[in-house]
């Protein structure tokens, strides 16, 4: 399973981390929004980790 969000979206980052997902990547300058480039974060969790309830 993967989750992706803007790096400056603290609420989304917190949710993905509370779910036990780990940060896999940071993509730099993926979107130009309101006059600035934004970074994206990608989080992931394997199926067996989810089934075991691993929380990092």
């Amino acid at each position: 399973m993967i989750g992706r969000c803007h790096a400056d979206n603290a609420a989304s980052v917190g949710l993905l981390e509370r779910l036990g997902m780990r940060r896999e990547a940071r993509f730099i300058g993926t979107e130009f929004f309101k006059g600035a480039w934004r970074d994206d974060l990608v989080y992931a969790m394997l199926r067996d980790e989810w089934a075991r309830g691993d929380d990092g």
Side-chain angles (χ1 to χ4, degrees):
M1 164 173 40
I2 63 166
R4 188 171 179 159
C5 66
H6 289 295
D8 60 351
N9 187 334
S12 292
V13 168
L15 173 63
L16 294 169
E17 291 179 356
R18 282 192 307 278
L19 288 171
M21 299 178 82
R22 72 183 154 278
R23 188 184 304 181
E24 294 282 338
R26 181 181 191 114
F27 296 117
I28 307 298
T30 56
E31 179 183 8
F32 193 74
F33 183 73
K34 293 187 178 181
W37 286 99
R38 298 176 108 179
D39 297 350
D40 277 349
L41 299 176
V42 177
Y43 284 78
M45 179 181 276
L46 298 173
R47 182 183 306 195
D48 61 333
E49 293 170 331
W50 179 261
R52 286 193 311 258
D54 287 1
D55 61 3

